[in-house]
Amino acid sequence: MTDRGALALDPAVRAVLRAAAGRRHPLVLVDGPSGAGKSSLAAALVEAWPGTAPEVVRVDEAIPGWRGLRRGAERLGTSLVAPHARRATGVVHRWDWLADRAGAVARLRPGRALVIEGCGAFLAGRDRPDAVRVWVDAPYAERRRRALARDRGAFDPHWEGWEADWRRYLGRLGPQRTRALRVRLARLEPRGG
């Protein structure tokens, strides 16, 4: 990430760290549309986290295909977020995007802070009122450019379908329905998210 990109993230990182301070096993949900800068924010957050770095789970690891945003996020809430709240081992059922089928299962032990980033993170954490929620956005043209550049053409044929699935999700659980820190990142170098 460029220094300018890091500087753009600094105020958001500080706000999230303040919001998570004092919580024993914090959960941070970083949501927003594709290409907005969620992964960049999550990475900056991990770098700045005091003490033991949090576990980071990307929602798209658990989404079953291009039209599975809701199903994947809900399953992540049941298999990972709920156990995290009980201080139990959580599970991430990964999706193998290249083979277009279910992939490996990852187990995450309790005890560390958890950052869930990606489209659908708020849905995954909907039963955790104690979670720190961060909504990341950017202008449509900028986020489309970043998302397509990040995935080097693999995402191109799926952009419209993904965006439609995203907009359905947005209508149900967007930032206007959820109290969240809001971050707008324009002209950020792509790191993901």
Side-chain angles (χ1 to χ4, degrees):
M1 182 185 314
T2 65
D3 288 339
R4 193 173 102 214
L7 290 174
L9 291 170
D10 283 347
V13 168
R14 285 193 305 271
V16 172
L17 292 177
R18 277 193 307 272
R23 297 175 194 219
R24 188 153 181 215
H25 299 285
L27 171 64
V28 178
L29 306 170
V30 182
D31 205 332
S34 186
K38 300 176 300 297
S39 295
S40 295
L41 177 59
L45 190 56
V46 167
E47 288 176 20
W49 198 270
T52 304
E55 293 276 358
V56 178
V57 173
R58 294 176 49 130
V59 177
D60 62 0
E61 293 178 42
I63 293 175
W66 291 106
R67 300 234 190 251
L69 191 152
R70 191 186 103 270
R71 281 190 326 273
E74 286 175 343
R75 185 175 192 185
L76 201 55
T78 302
S79 69
L80 179 64
V81 176
H84 181 264
R86 297 188 311 268
R87 313 299 187 254
T89 297
V91 175
V92 178
H93 299 272
R94 292 202 167 113
W95 185 256
D96 183 335
W97 285 91
L98 294 176
D100 196 28
R101 62 181 168 83
V105 174
R107 298 190 187 291
L108 276 72
R109 291 181 162 177
R112 289 171 60 183
L114 178 61
V115 175
I116 298 178
E117 72 87 6
C119 301
F122 284 5
L123 179 57
R126 72 179 172 195
D127 294 331
R128 289 284 303 272
D130 62 321
V132 176
R133 288 168 172 75
V134 185
W135 185 264
V136 182
D137 204 353
Y140 175 85
E142 178 67 14
R143 57 186 194 78
R144 183 177 190 277
R145 180 194 66 77
R146 288 195 300 230
L148 297 180
R150 171 192 64 210
D151 294 329
R152 298 184 183 110
F155 191 7
D156 294 14
H158 303 286
W159 174 262
E160 294 302 325
W162 179 261
E163 190 70 11
D165 200 19
W166 163 252
R167 291 193 184 281
R168 283 189 294 278
Y169 166 74
L170 182 63
R172 288 189 299 270
L173 275 170
Q176 69 279 10
R177 302 184 193 288
T178 307
R179 188 168 180 223
L181 298 168
R182 294 192 189 345
V183 179
R184 188 153 174 91
L185 298 173
R187 298 189 186 111
L188 182 67
E189 292 303 310
R191 181 183 226 168

